[in-house]
C-alpha cells in the first residue's frame, strides 16, 4: 500500500510516476477523501476538548456542592456527538483505505519507462543455445515417452491440468529437491506453509481486492479460504502484524508449494501443454530486508534463481521489466526467461521483484531500527524456480534424436538415471 504521506506531500510527483505505469490517479477522489478525513479529525479534536472542559467544570461544581445537572446533560450530548463522529470517521477511513488499496506501487527510479513488454531491457544472457534439428515440443516428447498425460488429466479435472507419470514424475520430484537443496545451501531457511490462507493474507501481499477473479476460493466456516497462487502469500504473512529485530534482517526464506491460479482473462494463451496451468509447483524465495539493504537483496535473490538455471545448463536471459509491464505490487522486477527450442524463443521461468515497503505497509510488518522506532521493512520475492516450466525446458533443451532426454548431470543423483527413455 502506498504511504498516504507521499500523496499529501508531493501529489504531482506521485501521480507522474504512476502515470508511467499507465495508471491515472484520481486526484479529485483523493482530495475529497483527504479533506473529509482532516475535517473529521479536527471536529473530533474540538469535541474532545469540549468534553474535557465540561468534565473539569462538572468536577469543580461537584466539589463546591453546586448543581451540575445542566453540564452533565451537555456532557452526554457531547459524548453522543463523539460516538456518531467516530462511526463516521471509521467509514471515511475505510473508504480511504480502499482507495489506497487500489493504487499500484510507483516504479523505482531505475525502472525503464514503457507501455508493455516491448520496452523491457535485456540485462544479460547466459548459456549456449542448443542446435536441434526439427525440435519437438515438450508435449510430443512427454507423450511419446509416456511420462506426460494431458488427456487423462482433462478427464479428471478439465483443461489446464496435467498428469506426470513414471520418470516424468520422478524428474519433477528431483527438481523440487534439487532446488530446495541449492537454496537452503545458499542461506535460505526452508518453510512448509499452509496452502489455504485467509483474506487478510491475500490482502497483505496485494492479491486482494484487485485480483480476486484470479484466485480459487473455498467456503470455510462462516467465511472463506483461498488456495495460494504462490508461496509468496503465506511466507510473507508469517510476520504480519509483527515487529522484527533489526539484527535479524535480511531474513531469507524458501518454500516449495503447489500453486493454484484461475488464470482469468488468459484464455487462448499457452493452452497447449503445461506452460500455463491452474495447478503447478514452484520453489519460492522470499526476503525481508531493511530499506538500505533491499536493492542489493534484489540482485542477490535474482542471482540465486539464476544459479539454478546455470547448474542445470539451461540457456536464459535476464530482463528488466519496464514501468508498464510490472506487477501491481512491485517497484522493480527482473524476469528470467529460459530458452525453449520448440518455440525458438525465451519464455519466463522466474519473476524476481522488489516491493519496497508496499506489502509490509499492507501487512504491517516492521523492524525496530537503531533508534528503537519501528519502521516498515522491504519485502522481495522470486521463483527459484517454477518447477513445471523447468521440467519443460529440460525436455526440450536435452532432447535427443531418438526422442530420449538426457538428464542434466546435477540431477542424475536425484533421478537415478542419466537418460529418460
Amino acid at each position: 500500500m502506498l504511504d498516504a504521506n507521499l500523496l499529501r506531500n508531493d501529489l504531482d510527483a506521485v501521480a507522474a510516476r504512476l502515470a508511467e505505469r499507465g495508471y491515472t490517479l484520481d486526484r479529485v477522489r483523493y482530495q475529497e477523501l483527504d479533506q473529509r478525513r482532516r475535517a473529521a479529525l479536527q471536529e473530533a479534536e474540538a469535541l474532545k476538548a469540549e468534553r474535557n472542559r465540561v468534565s473539569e467544570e462538572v468536577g469543580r461544581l461537584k466539589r463546591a456542592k453546586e448543581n451540575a445537572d445542566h453540564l452533565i446533560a451537555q456532557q452526554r450530548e457531547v459524548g453522543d456527538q463523539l460516538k456518531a463522529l467516530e462511526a463516521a470517521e471509521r467509514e471515511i477511513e475505510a473508504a480511504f483505505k480502499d482507495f489506497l488499496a487500489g493504487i499500484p506501487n510507483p516504479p523505482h527510479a531505475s525502472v525503464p519507462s514503457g507501455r508493455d513488454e516491448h520496452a523491457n531491457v535485456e540485462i544479460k544472457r547466459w548459456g549456449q543455445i542448443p542446435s536441434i534439428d526439427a525440435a519437438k515440443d515438450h508435449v510430443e516428447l512427454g507423450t511419446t515417452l509416456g511420462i506426460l498425460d494431458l488427456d487423462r488429466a482433462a478427464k479428471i479435472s478439465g483443461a489446464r491440468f496435467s498428469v506426470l507419470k513414471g520418470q516424468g514424475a520422478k524428474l519433477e520430484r528431483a527438481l523440487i529437491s534439487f532446488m530446495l537443496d541449492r537454496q537452503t545451501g545458499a542461506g535460505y531457511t526452508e518453510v512448509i506453509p499452509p496452502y489455504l490462507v485467509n483474506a487478510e493474507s491475500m490482502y497483505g501481499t496485494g492479491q486482494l481486492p484487485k485480483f480476486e477473479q484470479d484466485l480459487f476460493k473455498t467456503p470455510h466456516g462462516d467465511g472463506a479460504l483461498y488456495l495460494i497462487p504462490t508461496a509468496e502469500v503465506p511466507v510473507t504473512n508469517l510476520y504480519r502484524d509483527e515487529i522484527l529485530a533489526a539484527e535479524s534482517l535480511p531474513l531469507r526464506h524458501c518454500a516449495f508449494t503447489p500453486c493454484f491460479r484461475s488464470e482469468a482473462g488468459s484464455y487462448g494463451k499457452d493452452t497447449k501443454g503445461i506452460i500455463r496451468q491452474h495447478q503447478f509447483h514452484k520453489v519460492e524465495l522470499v526476503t525481508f530486508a531493511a530499506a538500505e539493504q533491499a536493492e542489493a537483496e534484489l540482485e542477490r535473490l535474482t542471482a540465486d534463481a539464476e544459479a539454478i538455471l546455470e547448474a542445470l545448463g539451461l540457456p536464459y536471459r535476464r530482463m528488466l521489466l519496464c514501468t508498464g509491464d510490472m506487477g501491481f505490487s512491485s517497484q522493480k522486477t527482473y524476469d528470467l526467461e529460459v530458452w525453449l527450442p520448440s518455440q525458438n524463443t525465451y519464455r519466463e521461468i522466474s519473476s524476481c521483484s522488489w516491493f519496497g515497503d508496499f506489502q509490509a505497509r499492507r501487512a504491517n510488518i516492521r523492524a525496530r531500527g537503531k533508534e528503537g522506532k519501528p519502521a516498515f521493512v522491504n519485502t522481495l520475492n522470486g521463483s527459484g524456480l517454477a518447477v513445471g516450466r523447468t521440467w519443460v525446458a529440460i525436455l526440450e533443451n536435452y532432447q535427443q534424436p531418438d526422442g530420449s532426454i538426457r538428464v542434466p548431470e546435477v540431477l542424475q543423483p536425484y533421478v537415478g538415471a542419466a537418460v529418460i527413455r
Side-chain angles (χ1 to χ4, degrees):
M1 181 178 291
L2 197 63
D3 183 354
N5 289 325
L6 290 176
L7 291 172
R8 180 171 296 160
N9 297 333
D10 204 347
L11 184 61
D12 290 341
V14 174
R17 289 169 65 199
L18 290 170
E20 291 187 39
R21 297 195 59 148
Y23 180 86
T24 302
L25 181 65
D26 189 342
R27 299 183 189 220
V28 174
R29 178 63 173 158
Y30 163 70
Q31 289 168 339
E32 174 201 344
L33 288 170
D34 192 48
Q35 287 169 5
R36 286 173 61 195
R37 289 174 74 230
R38 292 190 189 197
L41 182 62
Q42 290 171 357
E43 188 177 350
E45 291 300 318
L47 282 172
K48 287 174 184 176
E50 177 66 9
R51 181 184 60 185
N52 293 339
R53 186 192 66 78
V54 172
S55 295
E56 289 177 4
E57 184 64 12
V58 167
R60 186 189 66 77
L61 290 175
K62 285 186 175 182
R63 286 193 298 274
K65 300 187 184 304
E66 296 180 23
N67 190 314
D69 289 349
H70 65 293
L71 288 177
I72 292 172
Q74 185 179 344
Q75 195 175 33
R76 290 197 196 100
E77 184 180 343
V78 171
D80 292 341
Q81 288 175 335
L82 264 175
K83 285 181 182 178
L85 185 59
E86 286 168 357
E89 275 185 308
R90 286 193 295 272
E91 184 179 327
I92 294 168
E93 281 299 324
F96 189 67
K97 185 178 179 182
D98 286 345
F99 174 77
L100 288 180
I103 301 174
N105 201 353
H108 189 262
S110 61
V111 174
S113 295
R115 297 174 62 181
D116 54 34
E117 68 273 10
H118 297 101
N120 294 343
V121 177
E122 183 175 316
I123 302 300
K124 65 179 281 191
R125 287 194 186 200
W126 184 93
Q128 184 69 38
I129 291 175
S131 177
I132 302 174
D133 293 331
K136 299 174 183 177
D137 68 19
H138 69 281
V139 176
E140 183 178 356
L141 290 163
T143 303
T144 302
L145 287 166
I147 63 175
L148 173 64
D149 194 331
L150 297 175
D151 292 337
R152 288 190 173 92
K155 178 175 66 176
I156 296 167
S157 302
R160 299 201 178 190
F161 290 92
S162 63
V163 171
L164 302 182
K165 299 189 298 182
Q167 287 182 304
K170 196 166 187 180
L171 177 60
E172 179 95 351
R173 180 157 49 90
L175 282 167
I176 293 164
S177 296
F178 170 69
M179 291 176 187
L180 287 173
D181 287 347
R182 283 297 177 108
Q183 302 301 4
T184 53
Y188 293 84
T189 300
E190 184 177 352
V191 175
I192 299 179
Y195 304 153
L196 288 161
V197 298
N198 53 32
E200 290 82 2
S201 295
M202 287 292 189
Y203 179 86
T205 46
Q207 278 76 22
L208 288 179
K210 186 174 177 63
F211 301 105
E212 183 155 12
Q213 65 171 349
D214 293 322
L215 305 171
F216 285 109
K217 183 178 180 180
T218 181
H220 179 70
D222 295 331
L225 291 175
Y226 295 84
L227 279 74
I228 60 170
T230 166
E232 165 198 348
V233 177
V235 177
T236 301
N237 279 277
L238 283 174
Y239 303 106
R240 188 173 79 235
D241 296 322
E242 292 188 26
I243 299 176
L244 304 173
E247 57 270 22
S248 71
L249 303 179
L251 186 59
R252 305 181 182 108
H253 288 310
C254 66
F256 157 71
T257 66
C259 305
F260 306 91
R261 298 182 185 180
S262 73
E263 297 289 356
S266 67
Y267 295 99
K269 297 179 182 178
D270 299 318
T271 54
K272 184 180 180 183
I274 64 173
I275 295 292
R276 190 186 297 270
Q277 295 198 289
H278 293 310
Q279 174 190 311
F280 59 96
H281 292 147
K282 189 149 66 80
V283 171
E284 189 78 359
L285 309 176
V286 178
T287 298
F288 305 83
E292 62 273 15
Q293 301 168 329
E295 193 162 10
E297 280 298 308
L298 175 63
E299 300 300 323
R300 176 194 163 115
L301 183 147
T302 306
D304 289 336
E306 290 174 337
I308 301 295
L309 291 167
E310 292 175 13
L312 293 171
L314 294 172
Y316 73 90
R317 66 180 183 179
R318 184 200 291 199
M319 303 295 290
L320 173 58
L321 300 194
C322 71
T323 54
D325 199 32
M326 293 193 305
F328 175 81
S329 300
S330 176
Q331 69 174 24
K332 184 174 183 178
T333 296
Y334 290 122
D335 269 5
L336 303 182
E337 299 178 347
V338 71
W339 179 258
L340 293 187
S342 70
Q343 298 184 21
N344 197 39
T345 191
Y346 291 94
R347 296 299 304 271
E348 180 200 336
I349 196 168
S350 174
S351 193
C352 301
S353 296
W354 171 23
F355 303 99
D357 63 8
F358 190 84
Q359 290 182 331
R361 196 174 290 279
R362 296 171 77 106
N364 192 29
I365 306 170
R366 296 175 291 169
R368 200 174 297 280
K370 295 177 182 178
E371 298 177 359
K373 185 178 180 181
F376 291 109
V377 301
N378 277 217
T379 59
L380 307 95
N381 68 54
S383 304
L385 301 162
V387 180
R389 293 192 180 193
T390 310
W391 190 95
V392 167
I394 288 174
L395 259 64
E396 294 204 6
N397 282 278
Y398 283 94
Q399 62 182 288
Q400 303 301 298
D402 64 356
S404 64
I405 309 297
R406 279 196 304 113
V407 178
E409 188 175 346
V410 293
L411 282 185
Q412 291 176 15
Y414 294 87
V415 176
V419 179
I420 295 175
R421 300 186 185 281

